[in-house]
Amino acid sequence: MKRFKFNSRFKQPTESVSSYITDLRKLAEHCAYGNQLPDMLRDRLVCGIDDRKIQARLLADGNLDFKKAEATALAMEAAAKDTEDLQQAGEYRSSQVNKIQERRGEGRKIQETPWVRTNPRPQCYRCGGPHVAPSCHFARATCFKCKKVGHLARMCRNKADMERKMHKIEGEEEDGETTGEEYTLYTVRGAREPPVIVHPEVNKVAIPMEVDTGAAVSIISQKVYEESWKDTCKPVLEYSDVVLRTYSGDLLKVMGEVNVEVNYNNQSKVLPLVVVDGDGPSLMGRNWLKQIKLDWAAVYSCRSECDKVIRSFSNVFKEELGLIRNTKATLHVDKEAQPKFFKARPLPYALKDKVEHELERLVNDGVIEPVQFSEWAAPIVPIVKGDKSIRICGDYKMTVNRVSRVDSYPIPKVEDLLANLSGGKTFSKLDLSHAYSQLPLEEESKKYVTINTHKGLFVYNRLPYGVSSAPGIFQRVMENLLQGIPHVVVYLDDVLVTGKTEREHLSNLTEVLRRMDDAGVKLKLKKCVFQAPEVTYLGHKINAEGLHPSEDKVQAVIKAPTPSNITELKAYLGLVNYYGRYIPNLSTVFAPLYRLLQRDVEWQWGPEQQRALATSKQLLASSKVLVHYDSSKPLLLTCDAVTITDWEQSLHTVWSLERRNRLLSHPDP
């Protein structure tokens, strides 16, 4: 029925082309044409227009699409109207020659020709005045209804359509009756207030969303949909008949709809989420706000202060590559080391354009520069990142990594970092933009990190990825930059800030941003999270309660297949051991699996091993929260098999085990 109405729509003689096209768009909203919508609109415009000249012009174009058809029809309609106005102006001027005026007494008798009597004075379609349009003073005026140039709002031909789109403010008279007066809304071009951001957990993933009471539905972009669940199972994208329009009436391309589990402040609901094309912000609309009750006091408690802090350090979040001042990275290579030169490797055709684009970006940012000759050269390894872009790394294990002294600066343990978060209520996670590329290289070290590509030789001016000393060098720089700030942890380019109170949190965040601003460090605002009740850091989900294993990693363990050889078993054990602290008696559970790793044991997967595998998955899935370390609380030392609560009992247990082992080893005595 909807398609029948669409295909039965013809332009009326008194209707403008723009009104006809607008009505066609409305009729096509529920026709479910999908990707064929532009072609169907083009066909209906050509077939339904009532002007034969415009129709002939459109039919004569052998490469016609909807945008071109719309532009041509509007232009020809405007040209026809201007021609008519010019002709009316000429006829009106000629009529003044035949007009005879006579004055008798106090009155005036006007004698007009028959043409003047049958053709009254024209009305301007721009302002409605008694003159022709070409001489109108409002030829460059902007209509407040349709926003087009060339007429006033009272003469707008799109009144019916625009009244539906405009906001109306109803005034009241003293007697209580509504005046029905319309007030024009102007665009405010002053400073825009920052959006209100909340962080609901959507299918176990925290997604920052703008609270938007003007949005009827909650939406995310296709980019957010692809990146949020790239390491876990994506929610199924299904067809959606929802039609979305912006404030200006433009259609948004809807990719589909998903049903997701939303968790926020101990509230859990299964709600629909619309996925749209592009990379715009995620919006929490009215359909979610009716189901999820926001804690507005918590949202606004320190949000305004946090926004002030972010705005005051806007230079840190500029979309440009940073340059850390007053320090340079140095690679220590023996001067007598033999230079290594390797030719460029062939690239897959699918990555060639992306690699060339990334090389061009690096040259424009000053990260690399082309050279003609070099004694050192390493082939490149293109790495495809989560957003489908390319990171270029040199394969330096073949060149400089063999002859350089690795920087011995220690990379901190995860346990030591997380211990500094005790007492934190909310968390801010800062992500550096192209982290290593912000640290300049010392001049003598540049020659060692030359790369050889299909576009020639390039030498690095900044610290490159792939150099064995790079992590230690960068960790030292970042720790020296942020040392002394409480409740701040640094792991390479990931910085986490918290505080025992919100005021302390903001104070620590301000100091971190101030030092980064002074040093020239740049952050990627899109990847930063501020004052979130929960963040994912180094594979752990962290909140005020404590530590949780990351959901995507847990799912990877649960979905891991049964090992078929020692290599696969080692891979599984390594994955689970990362979260070993969450599983009590892990060594006891894994004893049947460890037995298969012994040198003289033949591989044989049996019921005992299968039971150990299932038990480990079950324990990890049901793992409890690990609270943050607190030095004021009593400590209880536990081991896999023995809990040391009594010293004498523990000594007796250890002595009994040792005596048993001796008897098993030497049965004769």
Side-chain angles (χ1 to χ4, degrees):
M1 177 57 68
K2 298 294 183 183
R3 294 190 179 188
F4 172 78
K5 291 182 178 180
F6 174 80
N7 288 289
S8 301
R9 181 67 165 89
F10 290 86
K11 180 180 175 298
Q12 302 301 316
T14 58
E15 186 180 24
S16 66
V17 173
S18 60
S19 297
Y20 177 55
I21 294 175
T22 300
D23 198 52
L24 286 180
R25 290 181 182 272
K26 289 168 53 182
L27 292 173
E29 287 180 355
H30 301 289
C31 291
Y33 283 130
N35 295 331
Q36 295 181 348
L37 178 60
D39 292 342
M40 301 303 296
L41 289 172
R42 176 202 61 192
D43 296 347
R44 194 65 244 150
L45 173 60
V46 174
C47 297
I49 201 163
D50 63 339
D51 191 313
R52 292 191 175 184
K53 291 183 179 180
I54 298 179
Q55 192 175 55
R57 179 69 172 273
L58 297 177
L59 290 172
D61 193 335
N63 189 24
L64 185 69
D65 56 16
F66 174 64
K67 290 184 178 180
K68 191 174 181 182
E70 180 182 16
T72 301
L74 291 173
M76 292 188 67
E77 182 188 45
K81 187 62 180 177
D82 291 340
T83 303
E84 180 182 353
D85 292 338
L86 291 174
Q87 291 176 353
Q88 288 183 4
E91 292 172 350
Y92 182 75
R93 284 193 297 271
S94 65
S95 70
Q96 303 301 310
V97 179
N98 297 325
K99 185 183 295 184
I100 301 173
Q101 297 182 354
E102 294 181 1
R103 181 182 298 274
R104 292 182 181 181
E106 296 180 358
R108 184 175 61 178
K109 180 181 179 181
I110 299 178
Q111 180 181 357
E112 297 178 338
T113 63
W115 186 93
V116 176
R117 287 193 299 270
T118 58
N119 296 275
R121 297 183 68 179
Q123 183 186 32
C124 176
Y125 73 87
R126 299 186 188 276
C127 68
H131 54 264
V132 291
S135 61
C136 182
H137 296 293
F138 297 99
R140 297 184 180 275
T142 301
C143 175
F144 291 144
K145 292 184 181 292
C146 68
K147 305 303 180 184
K148 294 182 179 179
V149 177
H151 62 272
L152 300 181
R154 62 172 174 263
M155 298 301 293
C156 183
R157 297 179 180 180
N158 295 330
K159 274 189 177 181
D161 183 59
M162 292 308 300
E163 285 177 358
R164 178 178 60 83
K165 295 180 182 179
M166 286 189 62
H167 291 267
K168 294 184 179 180
I169 304 176
E170 300 289 337
E172 287 190 358
E173 296 179 345
E174 294 181 359
D175 57 1
E177 294 184 0
T178 302
T179 63
E181 183 178 3
E182 292 185 5
Y183 293 80
T184 305
L185 300 181
Y186 295 90
T187 302
V188 180
R189 300 196 180 276
R192 178 178 180 266
E193 284 295 321
V196 177
I197 305 294
V198 294
H199 297 78
E201 191 177 76
V202 183
N203 272 24
K204 310 300 183 181
V205 176
I207 297 180
M209 303 182 75
E210 296 184 14
V211 178
D212 188 354
T213 57
V217 296
S218 300
I219 65 172
I220 60 172
S221 66
Q222 187 179 18
K223 181 179 181 181
V224 173
Y225 171 74
E226 295 293 340
E227 292 182 354
S228 297
W229 297 282
K230 61 183 179 181
D231 296 328
T232 183
C233 182
K234 288 187 178 68
V236 179
L237 189 64
E238 299 178 349
Y239 169 77
S240 175
D241 57 357
V242 174
V243 178
L244 300 179
R245 289 184 181 273
T246 63
Y247 174 79
S248 60
D250 297 330
L251 279 172
L252 286 176
K253 185 178 180 181
V254 177
M255 308 304 297
E257 185 174 319
V258 295
N259 288 319
V260 293
E261 181 183 353
V262 183
N263 291 282
Y264 180 81
N265 280 2
N266 298 323
Q267 303 173 73
S268 182
K269 299 283 185 179
V270 176
L271 300 173
L273 181 62
V274 179
V275 181
V276 298
D277 188 25
D279 57 354
S282 303
L283 304 180
M284 179 180 285
R286 295 193 299 271
N287 64 331
W288 280 25
L289 294 174
K290 290 180 180 179
Q291 303 292 331
I292 301 293
K293 306 302 180 184
L294 300 183
D295 186 358
W296 291 104
V299 170
Y300 277 107
S301 60
C302 290
R303 184 64 204 176
S304 58
E305 294 296 328
C306 184
D307 292 333
K308 290 179 182 178
V309 171
I310 296 173
R311 288 198 297 270
S312 62
F313 294 101
S314 58
N315 188 54
V316 178
F317 300 101
K318 284 186 176 179
E319 293 289 337
E320 60 184 32
L321 184 64
L323 178 62
I324 299 177
R325 307 184 186 100
N326 303 325
T327 184
K328 291 185 178 181
T330 301
L331 304 181
H332 299 282
V333 179
D334 189 355
K335 294 184 178 180
E336 298 181 358
Q338 186 70 23
K340 301 290 183 180
F341 186 98
F342 292 89
K343 65 179 183 179
R345 294 170 180 167
L347 287 173
Y349 293 121
L351 298 180
K352 189 173 182 181
D353 291 340
K354 292 183 178 181
V355 170
E356 292 178 355
H357 183 269
E358 179 65 9
L359 288 173
E360 183 179 357
R361 184 193 68 80
L362 293 174
V363 171
N364 294 334
D365 290 344
V367 178
I368 61 175
E369 60 179 330
V371 293
Q372 291 185 341
F373 307 101
S374 177
E375 293 182 337
W376 296 80
I380 63 171
V381 180
I383 306 299
V384 181
K385 298 194 289 185
D387 58 358
K388 306 303 180 183
S389 61
I390 294 294
R391 172 181 291 162
I392 295 178
C393 301
D395 192 2
Y396 295 116
K397 69 177 182 292
M398 305 176 66
T399 57
V400 65
N401 287 351
R402 292 186 173 184
V403 294
S404 64
R405 296 196 304 273
V406 178
D407 194 294
S408 58
Y409 193 85
I411 304 298
K413 294 181 179 180
V414 177
E415 294 82 358
D416 298 335
L417 292 176
L418 300 181
N420 294 328
L421 304 177
S422 177
K425 305 300 181 184
T426 57
F427 305 86
S428 295
K429 186 170 69 170
L430 308 179
D431 187 84
L432 273 68
S433 176
H434 305 287
Y436 287 5
S437 297
Q438 298 192 41
L439 183 60
L441 265 178
E442 192 268 336
E443 191 66 32
E444 288 296 322
S445 300
K446 295 180 180 180
K447 61 182 179 181
Y448 301 120
V449 290
T450 305
I451 56 175
N452 200 349
T453 73
H454 68 288
K455 301 291 287 185
L457 296 172
F458 295 88
V459 64
Y460 269 90
N461 297 318
R462 310 286 183 92
L463 182 65
Y465 293 94
V467 176
S468 57
S469 297
I473 294 173
F474 197 80
Q475 182 70 28
R476 177 194 291 111
V477 171
M478 292 303 299
E479 286 192 1
N480 289 340
L481 177 64
L482 302 178
Q483 64 179 346
I485 307 177
H487 298 288
V488 175
V489 297
V490 180
Y491 191 86
L492 299 177
D493 60 339
D494 288 325
V495 181
L496 192 62
V497 184
T498 187
K500 293 184 177 180
T501 64
E502 293 298 335
R503 186 173 298 278
E504 183 182 4
H505 183 172
L506 287 175
S507 176
N508 296 338
L509 179 62
T510 302
E511 180 62 19
V512 169
L513 294 179
R514 186 191 65 78
R515 293 192 188 183
M516 288 185 172
D517 191 19
D518 294 342
V521 176
K522 302 297 181 185
L523 299 175
K524 188 177 295 185
L525 182 58
K526 291 182 179 180
K527 290 190 175 182
C528 293
V529 178
F530 299 97
Q531 285 191 309
E534 183 176 273
V535 294
T536 300
Y537 188 73
L538 301 180
H540 298 271
K541 189 167 63 175
I542 304 172
N543 55 24
E545 297 176 355
L547 309 179
H548 311 255
S550 177
E551 292 292 339
D552 54 346
K553 298 297 190 298
V554 172
Q555 290 298 320
V557 173
I558 293 176
K559 295 180 180 179
T562 301
S564 59
N565 51 54
I566 292 181
T567 302
E568 294 180 0
L569 177 59
K570 289 181 178 179
Y572 176 78
L573 293 176
L575 183 62
V576 177
N577 278 328
Y578 187 78
Y579 291 119
R581 71 191 73 185
Y582 296 96
I583 304 176
N585 302 322
L586 180 62
S587 297
T588 304
V589 174
F590 275 174
L593 303 181
Y594 288 146
R595 194 176 303 122
L596 294 178
L597 299 180
Q598 296 178 6
R599 182 174 302 176
D600 299 329
V601 174
E602 182 181 358
W603 174 269
Q604 186 176 1
W605 189 269
E608 191 178 8
Q609 285 74 22
Q610 187 64 37
R611 188 162 46 253
L613 181 71
T615 303
S616 64
K617 293 182 178 182
Q618 181 181 1
L619 290 173
L620 184 58
S622 61
S623 59
K624 299 181 180 180
V625 179
L626 291 182
V627 298
H628 296 292
Y629 175 75
D630 188 350
S631 58
S632 62
K633 294 180 180 179
L635 284 178
L636 179 66
L637 179 61
T638 63
C639 300
D640 278 350
V642 181
T643 302
I644 304 180
T645 56
D646 182 79
W647 183 244
E648 294 182 355
Q649 180 64 32
S650 64
L651 287 178
H652 175 72
T653 303
V654 172
W655 177 83
S656 299
L657 291 174
E658 290 183 351
R659 182 171 179 275
R660 175 178 177 274
N661 290 335
R662 286 198 303 271
L663 291 175
L664 290 175
S665 301
H666 307 282
D668 291 339

